[in-house]
Structures are given as C-alpha cells and as structure tokens.
Amino acid sequence: MHTYHSHGHAFQVVETGPVNSNSSIPVKRFKGRQPMRRDTITLAAGQYVRVRIKADNPGVWYQHCHQEQHNLSGMAFTFIEAPDVMQQTLRVPQEMLEFCRILGHPTQGNSAGRFGSDMAGIDPPLAINGTANSITGT
C-alpha cells in the first residue's frame, strides 16, 4: 500500500484504476461536480490515481509516498506552479541567502546554479547501499 500525500493543495480524486490491464483492481470513476477534496489517498501497489487540483497556489510543491523507504527510493516529486508569479511575488529572506552563501550553494538559476537546462555540476543522486536511487531491506 502507498499513502500518497500532496503538499500545497487539496485535490479531488476523479479516477483510480490498475496500472496494467492484467490486474484485478477495478477502474473507478468518481462522477459528480464536486468529488471529495483531500490531501492524502491510499493506493494499492499497481494502482494509479487521477486527481484534479485548482492551480491557485504558486510555489514548489512536494508530492510523496508516506512510507519513508518508498519516499527515499524515488516515489516523490515536486511540481512548480506559476514560476513567473513566484519570481514576482515571493522573496527569499536575506538570512536564507546568507546561509546558502556560507554553505556554498547557488542562489540563482536552477538546482545546479546554472540557467536553462544546463545541469552540469549538480550533485549525483543519493546512493543508499551503494546503488543510486535504490534501497534494499538488508
């Protein structure tokens, strides 16, 4: 089971179903104009969820499985909502910029401190048990 959690938004579940057609998980479509709003849903292994959100909260929002080992192995993502609005309205406090400077972290550009899609110089993925992006029970 996976407890999927969304930060920054309450979503409406509009459909759940199996990832592949050989599964016994049924497809469920939620009808009506106002499906229930929530920020967490539990899914079985091999199940997908289709959600609807109202994109009215500019920011960088983390979405993840609540099982820590799944979260660490990559069952998580962020989405950036309205980056143009964020650049005009959100300001990073000066003390945070100073903290980044002390740690040697870039404060402009993408996560590698570069612009566009140039990711040269970014740290490699976290390695656990010697393999990038994998966790074993041993």
Side-chain angles (χ1 to χ4, degrees):
M1 297 300 271
H2 303 281
T3 305
Y4 166 83
H5 179 70
S6 174
H7 290 263
H9 293 86
F11 55 82
Q12 294 175 309
V13 175
V14 295
E15 184 178 289
T16 62
V19 171
N20 72 53
S21 60
N22 296 332
S23 174
S24 62
I25 298 171
V27 172
K28 293 182 185 175
R29 290 182 180 88
F30 300 90
K31 301 188 191 276
R33 292 171 40 96
Q34 296 295 327
M36 185 185 323
R37 292 170 46 99
R38 57 184 68 202
D39 66 2
T40 305
I41 185 171
T42 300
L43 299 170
Q47 184 179 22
Y48 72 85
V49 62
R50 182 174 293 158
V51 299
R52 176 173 57 202
I53 67 166
K54 184 175 182 181
D56 62 352
N57 192 9
V60 179
W61 301 111
Y62 190 53
Q63 319 294 306
H64 61 95
C65 181
H66 261 210
Q67 291 188 25
E68 194 63 23
Q69 66 208 44
H70 295 169
N71 190 355
L72 290 172
S73 65
M75 292 186 78
F77 66 93
T78 58
F79 71 87
I80 301 172
E81 180 178 337
D84 53 336
V85 173
M86 287 188 335
Q87 289 174 344
Q88 295 173 11
T89 60
L90 299 178
R91 297 289 174 248
V92 177
Q94 188 59 42
E95 56 270 12
M96 293 303 298
L97 294 171
E98 180 62 17
F99 187 63
C100 289
R101 188 192 66 74
I102 291 168
L103 293 175
H105 296 305
T107 58
Q108 294 182 345
N110 60 28
S111 59
R114 301 190 182 279
F115 293 90
S117 59
D118 180 2
M119 298 300 282
I122 195 166
D123 291 336
L126 175 65
I128 299 174
N129 292 339
T131 306
N133 292 327
S134 72
I135 296 178
T136 64
T138 58

